[in-house]
Amino acid sequence: MSTPVPTVPTPFPTVDVTAKARRNTPVAVVVMPVDRSGDAELGPGADRLDPDAVEAARATGKAGEVRQLPGNRWLVGIGDGEPRDWRRAGAALVRAVDANAAADHDAGRTVSRSLQVMMPPADNADRAAALAVGLVLGGYRFRVTGTRSAPRTSSVLLVVDEPERIAAGVRDAVTMAGATALARDLANMPSNVKDPVWLAGTAARLSSGIPGLATVVRDEAWLVEHGFGGVLAVGGGSATPPRLVELTWRPRGGSRAPHLVFIGKGVTFDTGGISIKPADGMHQMRTDMSGGAAVIAALLAIAAMKLPLRVTGLVPCAENHLSGSAYRPGDVVRHFGGRTTEVTNTDAEGRMLLADALAYAAQRHTPDAMVDVATLTGAMKISLGLRIGGLFASCDSLAARIGVAGERVGEAWWRMPLLADNAEDVRSQIADVRQCPGGPGAIAAALFLREFTGDRPWAHLDIAGPARSEATYDEVVPGGTGFAARTLVRLAADYV
Ligand code: BES
Ligand code: ZN
Ligand code: MN
């Protein structure tokens, strides 16, 4: 029997904005902090609450604290009301409602799949957007299963005083959260399904028929012809050949608009190759294409938002496996454009295929800026932990833009140095560059990549830490997190 895998993209709740509450739909009331005024500020549905419920509301208010009241009513606190609190509140609410629905379903009771959320009067677009991100992503899950799952929230209505003030922000937030959800789907797909051909084909399928978005999948013959030696080396040990996905977003009338190139590591599984990884934790390497997933998802969102700039997405896809045809430590590999790398560890495969893609982007597209995203080094994960991405940049203004974009969408970045003292370590005796120069691992990898950027404004996002989570927090659930997808979309939206 074939594996019953979910169809990608998996569905997520819709979020709409209205001034008029509906009858017979479960109601959640957003509760402002109790401790500031001593009084809870309640949303427009509060008049439906009985005095006991209002008492309960006063005791609520911590971000993400959810209380169920009789009659399918809920209270959710948003604490200090920072954007993160709103994301956390939306996520906690949808989780609580879904858990309740699952229990009702198991008990044979009817379940509503809609929810309306009464916003406090002083809401604004940023808060509503953050709440929407939490509502869309908090209930996310990905399971490969033979049993049917319980019904979950499929539509949410935000009830507010002035819908027109926040509708556009909420719509964009839902599009961006959808990009996160898709990036999670791609990362979570097991590698017995997700080989390079599947990943490239899925990108092509999802982008087909979208005006202004064109996707081309380059096969191994094209890669040989164009000298993508790094991609071919990494993919050479696998039974499934490598691919290069090129997604091109061109807005109408935008032929002179700024041009960004996003490049994502698309390693569909990383065994380490001949320099094989230990068995412990190797299964996590099915998410080693999370950077590529973020790029694919971002391009789809950018096209959906019809952003007025040119964006190209490049995702080199390969499986880093070991076999008689795998590349070896000691090999010298020629990249796109002619530069050569002395291989010392086949587990440093990400930089091998990114080098080709960066050189190709710089030469073929001469973009205004290029940004690569990759689960590149275990060293980065150790340095910053699991909730912050490492940001390297050859250009301060690009670094600043990425930092601001991340802050706006709830993805944190920490700037790392491209240390001059380590820059010469990437030189090799027998090739142009040395793959693993030693020293600080994440920085060494970034310095290696910089050699292929042709001095274009460039940033490198190492998401080895935050690309996956073991825990549930804020809008994140265990598994692939989709980290970086929203930052890329926000960066593009704010670029022009
Ligand atoms: N995909 C890994 C990096 C990684 C590790 C991502 C843990 C997420 C969690 C990457 O391909 C890798 O193996 N890097 C090596 C580089 C080393 C051989 C120079 C590493 O970090 O150990
Ligand atoms: Zn890897
Ligand atoms: Mn590796």
Side-chain angles (χ1 to χ4, degrees):
M1 203 187 94
S2 65
T3 320
V5 292
T7 313
V8 174
T10 60
F12 52 82
T14 60
V15 182
D16 292 303
V17 183
T18 178
K20 209 167 164 320
R22 271 191 207 145
R23 289 187 175 280
N24 302 325
T25 300
V27 163
V29 177
V30 172
V31 184
M32 295 291 274
V34 265
D35 50 356
R36 271 206 218 135
S37 55
D39 230 354
E41 198 181 329
L42 299 176
D47 51 358
R48 299 188 188 180
L49 302 177
D50 44 64
D52 283 355
V54 174
E55 260 332 291
R58 283 167 199 263
T60 313
K62 238 176 93 184
E65 192 172 300
V66 179
R67 281 176 180 235
Q68 186 173 15
L69 306 174
N72 232 340
R73 291 168 309 162
W74 302 82
L75 295 167
V76 59
I78 46 94
D80 294 333
E82 297 294 323
R84 179 184 182 171
D85 296 328
W86 285 83
R87 254 187 298 125
R88 181 180 284 171
L93 176 63
V94 78
R95 277 179 204 131
V97 170
D98 282 354
N100 182 63
D104 278 352
H105 177 75
D106 290 348
R109 290 188 284 269
T110 50
V111 176
S112 170
R113 288 163 45 98
S114 341
L115 174 69
Q116 48 189 339
V117 181
M118 309 298 182
M119 301 275 290
D123 56 47
N124 66 39
D126 284 353
R127 290 162 161 187
L131 181 77
V133 169
L135 289 166
V136 169
L137 293 173
Y140 178 89
R141 59 185 195 153
F142 186 97
R143 293 188 67 212
V144 182
T145 167
T147 58
R148 286 188 48 183
S149 41
R152 285 182 290 155
T153 305
S154 63
S155 70
V156 185
L157 206 53
L158 301 186
V159 184
V160 298
D161 292 339
E162 296 173 73
E164 46 301 319
R165 204 151 51 86
I166 66 163
V170 168
R171 197 189 52 224
D172 287 353
V174 171
T175 302
M176 284 189 258
T180 304
L182 172 62
R184 289 180 184 181
D185 289 340
L186 296 173
N188 288 332
M189 185 60 78
S191 299
N192 50 336
V193 175
K194 176 184 57 191
D195 58 34
V197 173
W198 182 92
L199 183 56
T202 300
R205 171 175 65 81
L206 296 173
S207 53
S208 78
I210 299 175
L213 186 63
T215 299
V216 180
V217 176
R218 312 294 191 182
D219 65 9
E220 67 272 37
W222 187 95
L223 292 168
V224 169
E225 192 184 323
H226 291 80
F228 280 63
V231 179
L232 291 162
V234 173
S238 171
T240 311
R243 293 285 183 264
L244 174 70
V245 185
E246 275 192 82
L247 305 110
T248 325
W249 162 247
R250 298 292 179 268
R252 285 186 66 145
S255 58
R256 285 160 191 274
H259 185 193
L260 299 180
V261 178
F262 296 156
I263 298 165
K265 171 177 172 180
V267 172
T268 60
F269 193 75
D270 181 10
T271 65
I274 301 288
S275 317
I276 193 167
K277 287 183 181 296
D280 274 358
M282 194 200 277
H283 64 278
Q284 298 184 355
M285 288 300 128
R286 73 158 167 267
T287 58
D288 207 21
M289 34 49 70
S290 295
V295 168
I296 292 166
L299 264 287
L300 288 164
I302 287 164
M305 291 163 75
K306 298 189 171 55
L307 297 183
L309 80 170
R310 296 177 289 158
V311 186
T312 300
L314 297 175
V315 183
C317 306
E319 183 179 47
N320 189 25
H321 221 312
L322 60 166
S323 71
S325 57
Y327 79 135
R328 290 156 289 258
D331 285 0
V332 175
V333 168
R334 187 180 298 279
H335 295 281
F336 179 90
R339 218 189 226 88
T340 57
T341 292
E342 176 190 1
V343 176
T344 49
N345 187 324
T346 61
D347 197 11
E349 83 295 342
R351 68 196 73 179
M352 295 301 293
L353 42 77
L354 290 176
D356 284 346
L358 285 165
Y360 178 68
Q363 195 204 85
R364 168 79 228 286
H365 295 292
T366 51
D368 294 288
M370 43 194 203
V371 181
D372 76 72
V373 192
T375 48
L376 203 64
T377 65
M380 193 77 259
K381 188 173 170 180
I382 289 165
S383 306
L384 296 180
L386 303 184
R387 300 197 183 186
I388 300 177
L391 157 62
F392 298 82
S394 65
C395 164
D396 289 346
S397 65
L398 180 60
R401 283 174 190 270
I402 291 170
V404 169
E407 200 163 307
R408 288 194 65 186
V409 299
E411 293 172 344
W413 299 100
W414 189 260
R415 180 109 185 242
M416 298 288 296
L418 290 159
L419 292 172
D421 285 345
N422 298 96
E424 288 311 304
D425 299 346
V426 300
R427 304 278 158 254
S428 161
Q429 298 284 340
I430 69 158
D432 294 318
V433 284
R434 198 141 59 109
Q435 182 204 27
C436 301
I443 295 171
L447 289 168
F448 173 92
L449 292 179
R450 190 176 63 175
E451 297 292 314
F452 296 89
T453 59
D455 292 329
R456 304 306 305 169
W458 158 75
H460 159 58
L461 306 177
D462 191 337
I463 57 167
R468 54 178 299 126
S469 174
E470 299 296 331
T472 301
Y473 63 92
D474 299 351
E475 80 286 7
V476 174
V477 296
T481 60
F483 197 89
R486 297 201 301 279
T487 296
L488 292 179
V489 180
R490 192 76 254 171
L491 174 70
D494 292 348
Y495 203 88
V496 274

